[in-house]
Amino acid sequence: MQQVEFFVNEEAVSVTARLNDQSFELPALWLRERCQDEQNLDQITQQRLFDPHQLDANVSLDSIRKISDGIYQLMFSDGYQGDYDFNEFRADFDTYDGAPTPQPWTANFDKSKFYVDYVELNDEQGLLKALEKFLTYGVLIVNEIPNEANMVLDVAEKFGHVRETNFGRSFEVYTRPDYIDLSSKSVPLGPHTDNPYRDPMPGIQLLHCIKNETSGGLSTLVDSLSVLAQLKSENPEGYQLLNTVPIRYRHIDKSIELIERRTMIESDVSGRVTGISYSPRLDYLPLLPQHQLAVFHRARQRLGELLNSSDYEWKFKLEPGQLQMFHNTRVLHGRTGFDASEGLRHLQGAYIDLDAPKGRYKAIKRQLGL
Amino acid sequence: MQQVEFFVNEEAVSVTARLNDQSFELPALWLRERCQDEQNLDQITQQRLFDPHQLDANVSLDSIRKISDGIYQLMFSDGYQGDYDFNEFRADFDTYDGAPTPQPWTANFDKSKFYVDYVELNDEQGLLKALEKFLTYGVLIVNEIPNEANMVLDVAEKFGHVRETNFGRSFEVYTRPDYIDLSSKSVPLGPHTDNPYRDPMPGIQLLHCIKNETSGGLSTLVDSLSVLAQLKSENPEGYQLLNTVPIRYRHIDKSIELIERRTMIESDVSGRVTGISYSPRLDYLPLLPQHQLAVFHRARQRLGELLNSSDYEWKFKLEPGQLQMFHNTRVLHGRTGFDASEGLRHLQGAYIDLDAPKGRYKAIKRQLGL
């Protein structure tokens, strides 16, 4: 969390927050809305017991009295007077809202940081560690998963709620030597994001390896945050276009025709980049003037090169009994080709939403008093 | 769909699209990416069989030859030559991507347009009609639902996939006279959006009335698109702030602490307003300079007034056997107070995602050749 300091001037009746060498005067209305007494705020759920939309827009702060360190009594022009613990305001200045700060990684990063054992997920300390890894790196590898049916759903439910799609609650990635043309190899899949044509896109994907008797079919993962930092430094103009011009993604099958428009580089409301939607078989170039379109296209091309570069891509064998869980738009996934005639290959997948891991991380920290 | 026309100049080797009195030259790269032959495009899934990110950014269009009405053979500098049906480009210019155009409604709008009977949902024509109503008005009321368990899930699955939350696949809204203090009435709930603290927010909510023996507890619905048009005309400066300054929403319970930042007025990537997140007990004013904050607050206050005004709010009794389905951020829901001592009140709810109804609407239209 960033260090914010509060300065109270009792004489001038003003409260100032200082963050990263910037000062912000805290308006009376802002303070009035954040009253903390138990008549106005449920002390357990932190849910308000009044409607702050009805407050007087012109409310002013009439007086401030220090009660103890960090605790002040504030008195307002609408007659409200209450004690404020200024520590409660820290959350407002925490731009990651209590979640760990994402740490971008590249191919030569120490990948042992991505691993946990399945048994660790059964107690709160272990689950907290796993959540911290996932939220920091956008990826988690779970080892030593018991050899039972539907473990992908079991792991998914430790982190969130299963997100059902047209594939059902979970889906199978399955190849058997006798099902396919023995002469053909199964083609590699470059790094991509799943379902850019959906609204909302799946936030997190889990893939559990049940069997892999082929020597190929390695998993690949790449952190788009690292790739995007590079792209931005090489080609700021192209980066800007990918970040602002929406393109169209389309998926058609018998029962559904999904079209969604989104920018290739995605940002959150604070303007921070959160990931990309990259799916070369499903996207459509936007209609831009010739020159801009070429800039857009070259940036998209370079993005693909970087995503596939050995500087950024982590290539590893997901062994039977292991599961990879990754942030669908931050960490792109793919797989190398394999020879399906070598044997069975069976993965089971599922999706969960983005918010639950963040929310559980914070709840466990609170419970453990961390 | 908007009327786009294409103009081909064989001599100048150029293709122009004309839409709403605006002309757009279609760049060669844009056309090259949209090649339609069966070697390059799967004719059923419309999925590309090549990687267009690899195309030459400088590709040019060398010649155009008319084959028949609307069909042209294009020849490019990279050696590619293929037939193009220009009708396929219409989808690019359809800003609603094949879905019906939303029609805002107010309190005195003819509400009979919102109703369908349950049996109609069992054939494609009836389902298409229901989908069209829902996508146009953001709300659908389903009549004559069979008196069986979990019908809310049955209806949900006709329109999409059930979105599981911390309440499970479905949730119960249940009051029994003997469960509550008989002296107390159950308080009204003003119009609000559900779960603004979630990422993603639930897209669509379904509420099935199983029993209602109380005389109050009327359902209320209000179309935020109408309310926002009014707010924008009254107070463009405040509207602009609500549309661009993110605020913080928070929800805390024992197992999860969810915080999400989003703007109160939400727009899609094309800048079109799609709805709001309005939840007066869970939101926090942003940190803005005093004057701007007052403007923001007054706009939020006025938004609340309009949402609760009888000019916009539709108040009706959802009878046992009826279900209301509404777009969570476009159409806000609430209920009037009721006297729980009068009898049982039991509703069952569920959520689905936004994209499936749009996607099914398009697929059924395609199947029926409409």
Side-chain angles (χ1 to χ4, degrees):
Chain A
M1 205 187 281
Q2 293 181 92
Q3 282 316 307
V4 58
E5 282 183 286
F6 300 102
F7 298 94
V8 178
N9 188 327
E10 294 178 46
E11 258 174 60
V13 198
S14 81
V15 186
T16 309
R18 198 168 176 76
L19 178 76
N20 301 334
D21 294 330
Q22 272 200 291
S23 280
F24 307 88
E25 167 105 28
L26 302 182
L29 179 63
W30 191 94
L31 290 162
R32 175 68 184 84
E33 190 195 71
R34 281 161 175 77
C35 62
Q36 299 167 0
D37 66 287
E38 57 190 23
Q39 273 77 51
N40 284 303
L41 192 70
D42 184 290
Q43 300 297 298
I44 290 164
T45 64
Q46 298 286 306
Q47 204 163 324
R48 282 193 210 101
L49 304 171
F50 70 109
D51 181 355
H53 296 201
Q54 301 311 318
L55 293 172
D56 174 8
N58 298 315
V59 70
S60 62
L61 188 54
D62 285 351
S63 75
I64 302 181
R65 195 164 63 86
K66 182 168 180 168
I67 305 288
S68 63
D69 273 357
I71 315 282
Y72 292 85
Q73 187 191 66
L74 307 187
M75 216 168 166
F76 294 87
S77 59
D78 64 356
Y80 176 79
Q81 133 179 354
D83 290 355
Y84 284 76
D85 178 352
F86 279 30
N87 285 309
E88 290 293 324
F89 301 154
R90 294 194 187 281
D92 272 286
F93 295 88
D94 175 19
T95 54
Y96 285 104
D97 291 324
T101 307
Q103 268 185 45
W105 50 266
T106 57
N108 58 19
F109 187 81
D110 172 14
K111 302 305 187 315
S112 67
K113 297 188 175 181
F114 298 170
Y115 288 80
V116 293
D117 288 338
Y118 174 79
V119 290
E120 295 183 84
L121 306 181
N122 292 324
D123 71 84
E124 287 185 332
Q125 289 279 6
L127 189 55
L128 183 67
K129 189 178 93 178
L131 285 162
E132 181 147 22
K133 284 170 185 277
F134 175 73
L135 295 167
T136 306
Y137 305 117
V139 56
L140 182 75
I141 312 285
V142 182
N143 285 323
E144 297 181 38
I145 293 175
N147 187 11
E148 289 163 29
N150 288 318
M151 287 307 287
V152 72
L153 297 177
D154 174 272
V155 175
E157 278 157 8
K158 292 183 191 299
F159 291 102
H161 302 286
V162 172
R163 168 90 176 282
E164 197 173 315
T165 69
N166 40 325
F167 308 126
R169 277 170 60 78
S170 64
F171 56 89
E172 313 287 331
V173 184
Y174 200 71
T175 43
R176 262 171 75 161
D178 52 341
Y179 276 12
I180 56 140
D181 179 353
L182 289 189
S183 67
S184 79
K185 299 206 176 204
S186 276
V187 293
L189 292 175
H192 64 283
T193 30
D194 270 19
N195 297 14
Y197 45 79
R198 292 208 59 199
D199 175 25
M201 275 176 81
I204 297 165
Q205 184 171 170
L206 298 94
L207 275 174
H208 174 211
C209 179
I210 291 170
K211 226 176 193 105
N212 190 359
E213 298 169 347
T214 66
S215 55
L218 301 184
S219 294
T220 60
L221 292 173
V222 49
D223 188 352
S224 70
L225 298 187
S226 294
V227 163
L228 289 172
Q230 177 64 22
L231 182 68
K232 194 175 188 176
S233 74
E234 287 179 12
N235 181 357
E237 190 194 354
Y239 180 96
Q240 170 72 1
L241 285 177
L242 298 188
N243 197 9
T244 51
V245 181
I247 62 169
R248 195 162 63 99
Y249 293 93
R250 186 167 68 163
H251 167 84
I252 298 179
D253 68 25
K254 228 183 98 174
S255 64
I256 205 152
E257 178 176 336
L258 297 166
I259 297 181
E260 196 50 35
R261 295 181 190 236
R262 57 178 82 249
T263 55
M264 287 189 74
I265 300 178
E266 305 211 315
S267 307
D268 63 18
V269 285
S270 308
R272 258 180 329 226
V273 63
T274 52
I276 56 177
S277 53
Y278 188 82
S279 195
R281 307 296 162 102
L282 306 168
D283 59 344
Y284 288 89
L285 278 171
L287 187 55
L288 293 169
Q290 184 100 34
H291 168 73
Q292 266 197 314
L293 187 65
V295 173
F296 185 101
H297 178 66
R298 280 198 204 93
R300 180 176 83 160
Q301 207 167 44
R302 180 65 181 145
L303 178 61
E305 270 172 34
L306 291 166
L307 290 170
N308 285 281
S309 143
S310 58
D311 290 347
Y312 294 100
E313 190 181 62
W314 179 38
K315 201 180 285 182
F316 64 106
K317 180 145 193 173
L318 191 72
E319 300 282 355
Q322 287 187 320
L323 174 148
Q324 54 176 327
M325 168 165 135
F326 50 89
H327 184 313
N328 182 41
T329 54
R330 173 177 167 187
V331 173
L332 275 68
H333 67 293
R335 66 138 202 260
T336 64
F338 61 94
D339 184 345
S341 70
E342 287 178 1
L344 271 169
R345 190 172 184 274
H346 183 195
L347 280 76
Q348 220 175 16
Y351 299 114
I352 61 173
D353 288 329
L354 274 176
D355 60 359
K358 237 191 290 185
R360 290 190 180 180
Y361 170 83
K362 283 184 270 185
I364 295 174
K365 269 188 95 168
R366 180 183 287 253
Q367 269 163 44
L368 297 177
L370 298 172
Chain B
M1 201 188 281
Q2 296 181 90
Q3 282 315 309
V4 59
E5 284 183 285
F6 300 101
F7 298 93
V8 179
N9 188 327
E10 295 179 45
E11 257 174 62
V13 197
S14 80
V15 184
T16 310
R18 196 167 178 80
L19 178 76
N20 302 334
D21 294 330
Q22 270 200 295
S23 280
F24 306 89
E25 166 104 29
L26 302 182
L29 179 61
W30 191 95
L31 290 162
R32 176 68 184 84
E33 191 195 70
R34 281 160 174 77
C35 63
Q36 300 167 359
D37 65 286
E38 58 188 21
Q39 273 79 52
N40 284 302
L41 192 71
D42 184 289
Q43 299 298 299
I44 291 163
T45 65
Q46 298 285 308
Q47 203 163 324
R48 283 195 209 98
L49 303 170
F50 70 109
D51 181 354
H53 297 202
Q54 300 311 317
L55 293 173
D56 175 8
N58 298 316
V59 71
S60 61
L61 188 54
D62 285 351
S63 74
I64 302 180
R65 194 165 64 90
K66 183 170 178 168
I67 304 289
S68 60
D69 272 357
I71 315 281
Y72 291 85
Q73 186 190 66
L74 307 186
M75 216 169 166
F76 295 87
S77 60
D78 64 356
Y80 177 77
Q81 134 180 354
D83 290 354
Y84 286 74
D85 177 352
F86 278 30
N87 286 309
E88 291 293 324
F89 300 156
R90 296 193 185 280
D92 273 285
F93 294 87
D94 175 19
T95 55
Y96 285 104
D97 290 325
T101 307
Q103 268 186 41
W105 51 266
T106 58
N108 57 19
F109 185 82
D110 172 15
K111 302 306 185 316
S112 67
K113 296 189 175 179
F114 298 172
Y115 288 81
V116 292
D117 288 338
Y118 175 78
V119 290
E120 296 183 84
L121 305 181
N122 292 324
D123 71 84
E124 286 185 332
Q125 289 279 6
L127 190 55
L128 183 67
K129 189 178 93 176
L131 285 162
E132 181 148 22
K133 283 170 185 278
F134 176 73
L135 295 168
T136 304
Y137 304 116
V139 56
L140 183 75
I141 312 286
V142 182
N143 285 322
E144 297 181 38
I145 293 175
N147 188 14
E148 287 163 29
N150 288 319
M151 286 306 287
V152 71
L153 296 177
D154 174 272
V155 176
E157 280 158 7
K158 292 184 191 298
F159 291 102
H161 302 286
V162 173
R163 169 88 177 282
E164 197 172 316
T165 71
N166 38 326
F167 308 124
R169 277 170 62 79
S170 64
F171 55 88
E172 313 287 330
V173 185
Y174 199 70
T175 43
R176 263 171 74 159
D178 53 340
Y179 276 12
I180 56 140
D181 178 354
L182 292 189
S183 68
S184 78
K185 298 205 178 210
S186 275
V187 292
L189 291 175
H192 64 282
T193 30
D194 270 19
N195 297 13
Y197 46 76
R198 292 205 63 199
D199 177 25
M201 276 175 81
I204 297 165
Q205 184 172 167
L206 297 94
L207 276 174
H208 174 210
C209 179
I210 292 170
K211 226 177 194 103
N212 190 1
E213 299 167 347
T214 66
S215 54
L218 302 184
S219 294
T220 60
L221 292 173
V222 48
D223 187 353
S224 70
L225 297 188
S226 293
V227 163
L228 289 172
Q230 177 64 21
L231 182 69
K232 194 175 188 176
S233 74
E234 287 180 13
N235 182 356
E237 192 194 353
Y239 180 96
Q240 170 72 1
L241 285 177
L242 298 188
N243 198 8
T244 51
V245 181
I247 64 170
R248 195 162 62 98
Y249 294 92
R250 186 168 64 164
H251 166 84
I252 299 180
D253 69 24
K254 231 184 94 176
S255 65
I256 205 152
E257 178 177 337
L258 296 167
I259 298 181
E260 195 52 34
R261 296 181 190 236
R262 57 178 82 250
T263 55
M264 288 189 73
I265 301 178
E266 306 210 315
S267 307
D268 65 17
V269 285
S270 309
R272 261 183 324 229
V273 63
T274 52
I276 57 178
S277 51
Y278 188 82
S279 193
R281 306 297 161 102
L282 305 168
D283 59 344
Y284 288 89
L285 279 170
L287 187 54
L288 293 171
Q290 185 99 35
H291 167 74
Q292 266 198 313
L293 188 64
V295 173
F296 184 101
H297 178 65
R298 279 198 205 94
R300 181 175 80 161
Q301 211 166 42
R302 180 64 182 146
L303 178 61
E305 270 171 34
L306 291 168
L307 289 171
N308 285 282
S309 144
S310 58
D311 290 346
Y312 295 100
E313 193 182 60
W314 178 40
K315 202 180 285 182
F316 64 104
K317 181 144 191 173
L318 192 72
E319 302 282 356
Q322 287 186 320
L323 174 148
Q324 55 176 325
M325 169 166 135
F326 49 88
H327 183 313
N328 181 40
T329 54
R330 174 178 165 185
V331 173
L332 276 67
H333 67 292
R335 64 136 204 262
T336 65
F338 62 94
D339 185 345
S341 71
E342 289 178 359
L344 271 170
R345 190 173 184 275
H346 184 197
L347 280 75
Q348 218 174 17
Y351 299 115
I352 60 173
D353 288 330
L354 275 176
D355 60 358
K358 235 190 295 182
R360 289 190 182 182
Y361 170 83
K362 283 184 272 184
I364 294 174
K365 270 188 94 166
R366 180 184 287 255
Q367 270 164 43
L368 298 178
L370 299 171

